[in-house]
């Protein structure tokens, strides 16, 4: 199966991809009033496993809270909806897109009278910037677009509206011949890519912008901070000036879509020797080892979809403690 086929979960029912429609008058179509998630299910040697689905759904519920959206279903139900949809489509590996959106009622700006609807769609999604990018890295630019200022669009929420900004960053980069753009925050400090968080390495220390630099607090970012510490690296979350990029020994993007992708040039300046650096490679290896269960799941990040593996019981216990 691939993009455009299979079943989509909508407000409690599984419907054919072609029938998963909403009305043109839905609030979300006009005002971007939705929050969503992007997670992955990996094919591992022990079966298909979702990577940190709990953390993604927690962020989804946080996003709902920020936007005053009463989720139409409980955390447990949303969790089950994701697993049910993967099973119904018989995916071994897929990208997971739960979305909570304001539906059809009125088209005033006030969203509160509109229903809050939800859906889960899945598709097969390989390496986001291409397989070659994972080994050889990507050429990127610093965007002329900034991320949103504090107290404008809340960046801790993964809201559809924020992606108007991301699309400007991405289109500019593509038109200029780059794979990606890196946006600064309104103070001129490094923030993140159009759909991924940013890491730098200088003198064996790993740096990443903090949550106060207008970033989405990525689940992959959080995982990489943990894995880097597991590997014994020093890690710093701090505000970083733009020029730290140019003098970095290594730089890489992280995110559910992009996974861990090295950056080889920024604004046509080579990062280090312009190739994937050793620390990036070590982090990448640690990440792929964990998500594909080549090593022990020591942080409890995998949830098996089909097999009733031990982790499923742990996740269930955690969920019922929260419910
Ligand atoms: C703007 C932005 N930043 C960062 C990320 C990385 O977040 P995560 O690792 O949770 O996928 C994403 C991914 O969706 C994103 O869209």
């Amino acid at each position: 199966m691939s993009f455009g086929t299979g079943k989509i979960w909508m407000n409690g029912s599984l419907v054919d991809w072609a029938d998963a429609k909403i009305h043109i008058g839905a609030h979300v179509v006009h005002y971007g009033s939705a929050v969503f998630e992007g997670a992955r299910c990996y094919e591992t040697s022990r079966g298909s496993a979702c990577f940190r689905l709990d953390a993604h759904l927690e962020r989804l519920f946080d996003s709902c809270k920020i936007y005053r959206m009463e989720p139409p279903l409980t955390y447990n139900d949303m969790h089950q909806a994701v697993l049910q949809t993967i099973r119904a489509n018989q995916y071994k590996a897929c990208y997971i897109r739960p979305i909570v959106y304001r539906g059809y009622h009125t088209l005033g700006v006030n969203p509160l009278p509109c229903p809050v609807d939800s859906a889960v769609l899945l598709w097969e999604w390989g390496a986001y910037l291409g397989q070659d990018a994972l080994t050889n890295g990507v050429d990127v630019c610093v965007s002329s677009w900034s991320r949103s200022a504090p107290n404008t669009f809340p960046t801790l929420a993964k809201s559809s509206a924020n992606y108007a900004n991301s699309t400007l960053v991405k289109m500019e980069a593509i038109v200029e011949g780059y794979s990606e753009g890196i946006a600064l925050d309104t103070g001129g400090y490094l923030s993140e890519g159009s759909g991924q968080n940013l890491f730098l390495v200088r003198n064996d220390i790993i740096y990443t912008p903090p949550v106060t630099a207008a970033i989405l607090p990525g689940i992959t970012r959080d995982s990489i901070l943990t894995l880097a510490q597991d590997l014994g690296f020093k890690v710093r979350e701090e505000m970083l000036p733009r020029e730290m990029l140019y003098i970095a020994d290594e730089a890489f993007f992280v995110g559910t879509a992009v996974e861990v992708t090295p950056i080889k040039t920024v604004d046509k300046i080579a990062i280090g020797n312009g190739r994937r650096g050793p620390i990036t490679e070590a982090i990448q290896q640690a990440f792929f080892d964990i998500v594909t269960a080549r090593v022990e799941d020591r942080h409890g990040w995998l949830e098996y979809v089909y097999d009733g593996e031990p982790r499923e019981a742990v996740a269930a216990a955690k969920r019922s403690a929260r419910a």
Side-chain angles (χ1 to χ4, degrees), residues 36-39 51 55-56 59 95 97 128 147 155 158 162-163 165-166 191-198 214-223 254-259 287:
F36 69 95
E37 267 310 314
F51 181 66
H56 282 282
R59 190 172 62 186
Y95 182 82
R97 169 60 54 82
Y128 179 68
R147 292 280 292 165
T155 60
K158 191 170 168 70
N162 287 356
Y163 285 81
N165 175 259
S166 289
S191 180
E192 62 177 353
S194 66
Q196 54 283 115
N197 292 118
L198 176 68
I215 64 166
L216 177 76
I219 309 302
T220 320
R221 173 184 178 277
D222 180 71
S223 312
V254 310
T256 299
V258 86
E259 298 169 308
F287 175 78

Side-chain angles (χ1 to χ4, degrees), residues 55-237:
H56 282 282
L57 294 181
E58 266 167 32
R59 190 172 62 186
L60 181 70
F61 278 68
D62 287 348
S63 300
C64 286
K65 190 165 189 193
I66 292 168
Y67 274 94
R68 300 176 190 272
M69 297 169 100
E70 189 59 51
L73 66 178
T74 65
Y75 176 94
N76 264 338
D77 291 344
M78 196 60 171
H79 193 270
Q80 284 311 313
V82 170
L83 298 179
Q84 186 195 348
T85 314
I86 300 175
R87 290 178 190 134
N89 284 287
Q90 290 286 299
Y91 273 122
K92 288 196 164 126
C94 60
Y95 182 82
I96 303 164
R97 169 60 54 82
I99 183 161
V100 178
Y101 57 96
R102 302 277 191 183
Y104 175 71
H105 182 68
T106 62
L107 274 180
V109 169
N110 176 13
L112 296 172
C114 298
V116 177
D117 293 324
S118 54
V120 177
L121 62 154
L122 311 172
W123 65 91
E124 280 169 340
W125 213 2
Y128 179 68
L129 296 175
Q131 195 60 38
D132 175 70
L134 291 173
T135 315
N136 295 320
V138 286
D139 298 306
V140 308
C141 60
V142 173
S143 184
S144 67
W145 295 101
S146 299
R147 292 280 292 165
S148 48
N151 214 21
T152 58
F153 295 88
T155 60
L156 299 196
K158 191 170 168 70
S159 100
S160 297
N162 287 356
Y163 285 81
N165 175 259
S166 289
T167 61
L168 291 168
V169 172
K170 183 77 182 184
M171 287 189 291
E172 181 186 59
I174 300 284
V175 167
E176 296 296 329
Y178 299 98
S179 299
E180 265 301 337
I182 295 171
L184 307 178
D185 69 6
T186 50
Y189 290 95
L190 293 176
S191 180
E192 62 177 353
S194 66
Q196 54 283 115
N197 292 118
L198 176 68
F199 281 76
L200 308 179
V201 181
R202 186 167 155 88
N203 296 333
D204 295 334
I205 299 174
I206 299 178
Y207 296 88
T208 194
V211 288
T212 43
I215 64 166
L216 177 76
I219 309 302
T220 320
R221 173 184 178 277
D222 180 71
S223 312
I224 296 303
L225 288 170
T226 303
L227 294 176
Q229 279 159 325
D230 289 354
L231 291 170
F233 292 116
K234 282 200 192 108
V235 181
R236 293 196 190 150
E237 290 176 74

